[in-house]
Amino acid sequence: MAPLMAVLNNAPMFLYVKINSASKKEKQGELAMKKINYTLPVFLLLFFIIFGFTGCGGNSQQVSQPQEKVPAELVVGVGRDTVDPEGGMWESRGLVFETLVTLDEQGKPQPLLAKDWEIASDGLSYTFFLQEGVSFHDGTPFDARALEENVNKLQSIWGKYPIKKTEVKGDYTLQISLYEPYPLFMHHVAQLARGMVVSPNVLEEFTVDGQKEGGSMPPAGMSGGGSASGMPPAGMGPQAEKQGMPPSSGMPPAGMPPPAGMPPAGSMGGSPMGGAPGGMPGGMPPAMGQPQVEGPQYKVTAPVGTGPYRLAEHVPGQYWVMEAAEPYWQGPVKIQKIRYLIIPDAHSRVMALESGQIHLTGISPLSRIPAGDMERIEQSKELVLRHEPSFRVSPIAFQHLEGLFADARVRAAFIHAVSEESLDKVLAPTGSTLHTPVTPASPFYFPGLDKKRPYDPARAKNLLAQAGWLPGPGGILHKEGKPLQVRLLYSTTRPEDDYLAGIIQQQLKEIGVELTITQLESGALFAALAERDFELIMAPGIGSTSLDFEMDYHSRSRRSAIADPVLDRLIGEYNTAPDFTRQKELSRKIQERILGENYVLVFTTTYKSYAHSTRLENFIPALEEEVNFMRHIWQAEFY
Amino acid sequence: MGSYLLRRMLIALVSLVGVTFITFLLIFLVPGDPAEMVAEARFGHAVGDREVELVRVMEGFDQAIPTQYWRWMGHLLSLDLGHSLINRKPVLELIRSRLPATLLLAFSSLLISLVIALPAGLLAALRKDTWLDTFARLFALLGVSIPGFWLSYLLIIFFSLQLKILPVSGYGGLKTLVMPSLALGLGMTGLVARLLRASLLEVWQQDYLRAARANGIGERKILFKYALKNAMIPVVTVIGLQLGMLLSGTVIIENIFGWPGLGMLLLDGIFNRDFPIVQGCVLVIAVCFILINVAVDLFYAWLDPRIRWSTGG
């Protein structure tokens, strides 16, 4: 290093000497312009500028070298900074917070912070028997009172349920009573965003008055408020019904991931619970003209949970570090330190993985692995690429209320004109087409409904002919002198949608349909969806075990492309079904209705694709989490 | 000189007002309902009509645009760029936290660019039509032609994947600075080198240099004191413009190398639909450009006194 720097330091001297020697020649009457010789010094300078830097200076992000079975810091490559100093976090939320229960591979609740539970026969009360000896990271014991404080104060989470009251039955026993049955309660509270438990010490009261100025308003999704006791959340209880408020199932489910690559509310600050900043009951903002919420409001001020890790360091825009919060009640934490390194560019993330700078990536929609880079990862002996099933479904929906697609024969014709095999080739290996509104990973998946719709262009043409669309000039079908032209809207957020749109355009052309494809910025796409100003639209996919049919398929949802009174009624019944079995039956009817009416051209799903170093062993992703499936990383080993 | 300076300042002020208006209008130019976009940022993507209407009233989107503009300007004059819609932090604080990284990258890129471009341009002019000139011109052409993002990936492949001596991404220490600086600096190098060569060749033919030679002034002095000063006028313009672009944060390069500068903040703002952030960043970038333009104009006047004489100063 020293000789190199010495040469570099001497470079200006070479330049000086050469100029001096040139000056001597000037005296001899020669034109200096032709004689000054800068060649050597300039080349040396260039060489050392480019290569000199590479060997000197400090380095905060060391290029890691393989080590022999020595536990090491795991570096995770993420696309965005999703940590907020006030306690919100997105991609590492599952390391800090835990839930009462978790779900197994069959979608059945399993003990976590609650070692057991009892559900009343009428479905109106849940009694949780909590683990003993568990503490929050700040030393506060986790017991029935701590959980009760969560339920009563953190309304952006618990306000989504029709909770009537809570009752402490013992130090480690809490009973939660509901206004009405909520069959998915156990499934929902298994998800971090819908049931995470925080230390009561970090629930801080705040005033809603500060909302407008931004002063005391908590980050999106980090609010709580009101009291569960005697105060039903908006849209959940009888009082809400009287006020004419919509049921909360129409609200953003907590932590619902955004459509392809877009962070949800609170992803930058606050956990993306989807709660209203004002901490309104049920996480909803107050209705216009109505008084603000009575009673104190609460927000989470720091990430303090019962999980295996705590936030140790956060440098905004660069990285954050999670370190083991030992003693952890479930056992020893094997990976002591996890660094989340922010690399916004997806290709750079993959190259960082290949170079060894990071060891895991692809853990959320904000850290997606480009499909084009996957082959390279697969070929590497030092890397592992995995695709796990997801709950995310993106329908390409018809505008069935008016115009061309109000005719069911036309909708059926389009479905027969599109080959799912062709689309699967484009979506692979990160996704595929589906034949039902839910993925096989869902507890409400019915194999009987999963019937492939046949690709049959002849039948498609026949159906269109029945609808009055007959061959015309240029190979395009015409009806009453008008060509069969359709516009497909889709968002800029998912790269593969470009190809999907192109293939559909080509296939429809074969039956005489002229499809124009229009790519819109997601805001414009949402606006088109809300106004139902489209003919065909690739609706943004929602993925969650919450199975919120209302958001995707109810007429009052701004994200639904469908408006069908029968479907609305079924979804209403589904939302208030007395038990899980009845709810499952209703979910089947909802799916049958969507499929039977041919409201959707094709469903697609995106897998959870992630890649890691072979040095990371025993990593089991948490399937119940759509966004962050690193909940079980504490059991993994990294050398 | 005083009136020249005053005139430049006045023009800059008018530009600034124009910039504030355009920046303010940004949120209305983006497709979609601004109230819905803000509601979505706050409440999640499944917003209902009620949330949208709530935001419309809370944020004053229901008022006339001029009214909204005056209110926004009122905040701006007290240096209040608003709060992030996502994490509620003051936008000015967020921008301030990203400026050091942007300044470091901008000046290191500029340094690399000048250290390479000035000798290369000089050499190409002095050694016109030799292989050295051809090489320098070719290098300059490549510098101008290669897109920054492509060069960035090439650098990563070479330094990080092949040689394994530099980290792909990060901030802190010289190693993390090398690739983004090179990716930015090399692009600028070509432009500056080509311009300097052309300008120097033109100046070299001027009579005053012949007169200087006739007076027995040494070639080195002629080159550095008389020729180069004049030849630098167009080069300074370009450097000024480039510096403006560098200070404004080069979004793509920062994105590729995970450099936590203004560009990445802007990109985050765009991805999150965090309009106060986008407005704040665009405003700061525009102000940077205006200030640098003023500085370049003043530097012009210093380089070439004819400029200030011609404007009556």
Side-chain angles (χ1 to χ4, degrees):
Chain A
M1 183 78 285
L4 184 116
M5 291 306 292
V7 175
L8 185 59
N9 291 335
N10 287 334
M13 185 63 78
F14 291 159
L15 194 65
Y16 177 75
V17 170
K18 288 292 174 186
I19 290 171
N20 270 352
S21 66
S23 299
K24 286 174 189 168
K25 289 174 185 174
E26 287 164 21
K27 292 174 185 170
Q28 294 166 8
E30 294 176 31
L31 189 62
M33 188 176 171
K34 297 286 183 187
K35 299 297 176 188
I36 300 174
N37 186 1
Y38 297 97
T39 314
L40 181 64
V42 167
F43 270 109
L44 281 174
L45 202 60
L46 279 174
F47 179 82
F48 288 119
I49 283 170
I50 295 171
F51 293 100
F53 271 133
T54 63
C56 56
N59 176 25
S60 65
Q61 309 293 338
Q62 291 291 339
V63 176
S64 51
Q65 298 297 323
Q67 293 174 2
E68 287 298 320
K69 289 288 177 184
V70 176
E73 176 185 283
L74 180 74
V75 184
V76 182
V78 292
R80 299 264 173 266
D81 187 348
T82 56
V83 171
D84 183 84
E86 282 200 338
M89 49 178 53
W90 198 41
E91 284 166 309
S92 49
R93 182 177 45 188
L95 277 62
V96 175
F97 301 107
E98 290 179 312
T99 48
L100 291 173
V101 294
T102 183
L103 299 180
D104 64 14
E105 286 180 5
Q106 282 75 44
K108 288 182 182 167
Q110 298 296 326
L112 195 60
L113 284 174
K115 60 185 178 189
D116 201 3
W117 53 90
E118 284 174 1
I119 305 171
S121 56
D122 58 3
L124 289 175
S125 79
Y126 289 71
T127 305
F128 291 99
F129 304 98
L130 309 180
Q131 299 281 0
E132 296 176 24
V134 178
S135 295
F136 293 100
H137 300 154
D138 60 2
T140 309
F142 168 73
D143 56 19
R145 294 190 192 286
L147 180 61
E148 187 184 38
E149 276 204 67
N150 269 263
V151 175
N152 290 345
K153 290 181 177 175
L154 199 54
Q155 288 292 295
S156 58
I157 291 183
W158 299 92
K160 294 186 181 305
Y161 308 112
I163 295 173
K164 185 177 180 183
K165 65 174 183 176
T166 53
E167 198 176 341
V168 176
K169 296 278 187 183
D171 286 349
Y172 294 96
T173 307
L174 184 77
Q175 188 177 69
I176 298 176
S177 302
L178 307 181
Y179 278 103
E180 55 201 32
Y182 193 89
L184 283 175
F185 189 59
M186 296 301 288
H187 285 80
H188 282 186
V189 297
Q191 291 174 278
L192 284 161
R194 288 171 171 262
M196 73 180 200
V197 180
V198 307
S199 167
N201 293 338
V202 297
L203 290 173
E204 186 182 275
E205 196 176 328
F206 73 98
T207 55
V208 183
D209 298 341
Q211 256 190 16
K212 202 165 183 177
E213 299 303 319
S216 58
M217 185 172 159
M222 289 306 289
S223 60
S227 166
S229 302
M231 188 173 183
M236 283 298 199
Q239 291 180 27
E241 290 295 326
K242 285 177 193 167
Q243 290 169 5
M245 296 164 89
S248 68
S249 49
M251 285 304 296
M256 195 65 87
M262 287 284 290
S267 64
M268 291 289 289
S271 64
M273 298 172 224
M280 306 304 144
M284 295 178 77
M288 298 307 302
Q290 289 185 356
Q292 301 272 309
V293 170
E294 294 172 9
Q297 310 297 305
Y298 294 89
K299 63 178 180 178
V300 180
T301 55
V304 182
T306 56
Y309 292 88
R310 64 163 62 93
L311 181 65
E313 189 186 1
H314 175 222
V315 181
Q318 296 178 46
Y319 64 88
W320 70 93
V321 178
M322 311 296 296
E323 68 179 16
E326 288 186 308
Y328 177 50
W329 68 276
Q330 289 205 76
V333 178
K334 290 172 182 167
I335 300 174
Q336 287 288 305
K337 200 181 262 189
I338 301 175
R339 179 184 296 267
Y340 288 77
L341 187 61
I342 300 156
I343 309 176
D345 184 73
H347 300 291
S348 296
R349 274 200 303 279
V350 173
M351 286 194 273
L353 184 71
E354 289 175 297
S355 74
Q357 189 186 5
I358 64 171
H359 314 112
L360 169 65
T361 192
I363 58 163
S364 86
L366 294 184
S367 314
R368 291 184 65 188
I369 300 171
D373 291 349
M374 288 186 177
E375 195 180 331
R376 231 171 49 240
I377 297 174
E378 281 176 321
Q379 286 171 353
S380 169
K381 288 178 183 172
E382 295 170 354
L383 300 174
V384 178
L385 176 69
R386 294 195 194 283
H387 307 286
E388 301 288 352
S390 150
F391 296 97
R392 182 182 290 268
V393 180
S394 301
I396 300 178
F398 297 110
Q399 162 53 290
H400 66 93
L401 289 178
E402 58 185 15
L404 177 70
F405 296 116
D407 188 333
R409 291 169 299 185
V410 178
R411 298 201 296 271
F414 271 60
I415 289 169
H416 288 303
V418 173
S419 158
E420 289 178 354
E421 280 88 354
S422 306
L423 302 183
D424 282 337
K425 283 177 190 168
V426 172
L427 291 167
T430 58
S432 70
T433 56
L434 291 171
H435 314 120
T436 62
V438 300
T439 72
S442 163
F444 287 172
Y445 167 75
F446 297 95
L449 296 180
D450 193 358
K451 290 174 186 162
K452 193 174 168 185
R453 294 182 284 186
Y455 170 57
D456 190 347
R459 193 172 167 193
K461 281 182 183 173
N462 189 27
L463 282 165
L464 287 172
Q466 287 174 31
W469 293 99
L470 301 169
I476 302 298
L477 299 177
H478 281 67
K479 184 179 179 181
E480 296 166 0
K482 287 183 181 173
L484 183 44
Q485 291 171 328
V486 181
R487 194 162 72 116
L488 168 66
L489 305 182
Y490 69 106
S491 157
T492 50
T493 48
R494 213 170 58 153
E496 54 268 36
D497 286 350
D498 283 332
Y499 301 108
L500 278 186
I503 290 175
I504 293 170
Q505 184 185 45
Q506 187 60 37
Q507 293 183 341
L508 290 177
K509 194 179 176 183
E510 287 170 16
I511 61 162
V513 178
E514 192 176 349
L515 182 77
T516 52
I517 48 181
T518 305
Q519 195 177 32
L520 294 177
E521 194 271 339
S522 56
L525 189 87
F526 289 148
L529 199 55
E531 301 297 325
R532 296 211 155 80
D533 182 18
F534 62 89
E535 290 174 304
L536 255 180
I537 193 164
M538 284 196 201
I542 309 287
S544 171
T545 47
S546 64
L547 296 166
D548 198 334
F549 287 112
E550 176 148 338
M551 196 181 312
D552 279 346
Y553 301 112
H554 197 288
S555 63
R556 71 177 150 219
S557 165
R558 293 175 73 86
R559 295 290 178 265
S560 167
I562 296 169
D564 174 2
V566 176
L567 202 53
D568 287 354
R569 183 179 53 76
L570 286 171
I571 292 170
E573 287 177 28
Y574 169 89
N575 287 341
T576 54
D579 55 54
F580 189 74
T581 311
R582 174 68 180 146
Q583 199 158 29
K584 195 168 181 179
E585 284 170 20
L586 284 161
S587 82
R588 183 183 181 112
K589 287 185 178 174
I590 290 169
Q591 294 178 61
E592 283 172 342
R593 178 74 186 174
I594 294 165
L595 294 171
E597 291 296 317
N598 287 330
Y599 288 139
V600 173
L601 175 66
V602 66
F603 299 96
T604 63
T605 184
T606 309
Y607 304 143
K608 295 171 184 171
S609 300
Y610 62 98
H612 61 80
S613 160
T614 50
R615 292 159 58 201
L616 177 66
E617 296 171 2
N618 305 324
F619 172 51
I620 302 163
L623 294 182
E624 71 270 24
E625 296 295 337
E626 168 67 16
V627 176
N628 181 351
F629 47 95
M630 279 179 67
R631 285 179 81 169
H632 311 311
I633 193 77
W634 65 276
Q635 293 169 303
E637 292 166 280
F638 181 66
Y639 298 102
Chain B
M1 186 66 185
S3 66
Y4 174 75
L5 188 66
L6 192 69
R7 215 164 66 92
R8 290 301 308 139
M9 291 299 182
L10 274 176
I11 293 171
L13 198 66
V14 172
S15 308
L16 265 177
V17 173
V19 159
T20 59
F21 190 64
I22 294 170
T23 308
F24 167 75
L25 285 180
L26 265 182
I27 195 164
F28 298 98
L29 298 175
V30 175
D33 177 0
E36 176 156 5
M37 285 184 256
V38 174
E40 191 190 312
R42 288 196 182 157
F43 303 117
H45 62 270
V47 290
D49 291 338
R50 202 172 63 174
E51 290 81 24
V52 174
E53 290 313 311
L54 177 74
V55 167
R56 200 184 304 285
V57 174
M58 278 173 68
E59 298 297 328
F61 288 127
D62 55 339
Q63 295 170 354
I65 288 183
T67 313
Q68 293 184 48
Y69 176 64
W70 286 123
R71 197 179 62 173
W72 187 73
M73 274 300 282
H75 288 294
L76 195 64
L77 287 175
S78 55
L79 286 183
D80 178 8
L81 293 175
H83 289 73
S84 160
L85 295 178
I86 305 294
N87 61 22
R88 307 304 299 168
K89 279 186 180 173
V91 171
L92 197 65
E93 185 188 314
L94 290 169
I95 290 175
R96 203 181 289 148
S97 71
R98 298 301 182 97
L99 267 180
T102 294
L103 288 174
L104 178 64
L105 182 58
F107 284 104
S108 60
S109 308
L110 188 67
L111 185 71
I112 284 180
S113 154
L114 294 184
V115 164
I116 298 173
L118 294 183
L122 202 67
L123 206 64
L126 295 178
R127 294 284 184 176
K128 186 172 176 285
D129 296 333
T130 63
W131 68 269
L132 212 56
D133 180 28
T134 310
F135 177 78
R137 282 160 65 190
L138 188 70
F139 182 77
L141 187 69
L142 280 175
V144 174
S145 314
I146 294 178
F149 77 91
W150 193 66
L151 180 62
S152 301
Y153 288 136
L154 285 184
L155 290 171
I156 291 174
I157 290 168
F158 184 64
F159 287 116
S160 301
L161 295 185
Q162 299 297 321
L163 299 182
K164 291 189 183 291
I165 53 172
L166 292 178
V168 173
S169 176
Y171 172 64
L174 266 179
K175 280 193 173 181
T176 58
L177 184 61
V178 174
M179 288 197 288
S181 305
L182 279 176
L184 279 174
L186 289 180
M188 218 167 97
T189 300
L191 196 62
V192 174
R194 279 165 69 93
L195 206 62
L196 180 61
R197 176 186 177 275
S199 182
L200 194 60
L201 284 174
E202 192 185 328
V203 168
W204 203 258
Q205 308 300 324
Q206 302 279 323
D207 287 342
Y208 76 94
L209 291 185
R210 206 168 294 155
R213 274 190 213 100
N215 282 330
I217 298 173
E219 284 293 333
R220 191 154 61 96
K221 195 172 178 182
I222 289 174
L223 175 65
F224 288 108
K225 189 169 180 183
Y226 300 112
L228 205 55
K229 198 174 170 185
N230 267 345
M232 283 299 282
I233 291 174
V235 177
V236 166
T237 313
V238 169
I239 291 173
L241 285 174
Q242 297 281 351
L243 185 62
M245 286 172 66
L246 292 174
L247 283 178
S248 66
T250 43
V251 177
I252 294 173
I253 302 297
E254 287 189 5
N255 195 49
I256 289 174
F257 292 106
W259 192 262
L262 212 53
M264 220 161 105
L265 182 67
L266 177 61
L267 200 70
D268 276 345
I270 293 168
F271 270 116
N272 294 333
R273 308 171 75 76
D274 196 343
F275 282 95
I277 295 273
V278 177
Q279 284 175 322
C281 288
V282 170
L283 192 67
V284 167
I285 288 166
V287 169
C288 277
F289 260 103
I290 289 170
L291 292 180
I292 286 168
N293 272 342
V294 171
V296 166
D297 283 350
L298 296 180
F299 196 56
Y300 264 2
W302 176 77
L303 277 176
D304 188 352
R306 287 171 298 180
I307 291 171
R308 53 181 188 261
W309 303 146
S310 66
T311 55

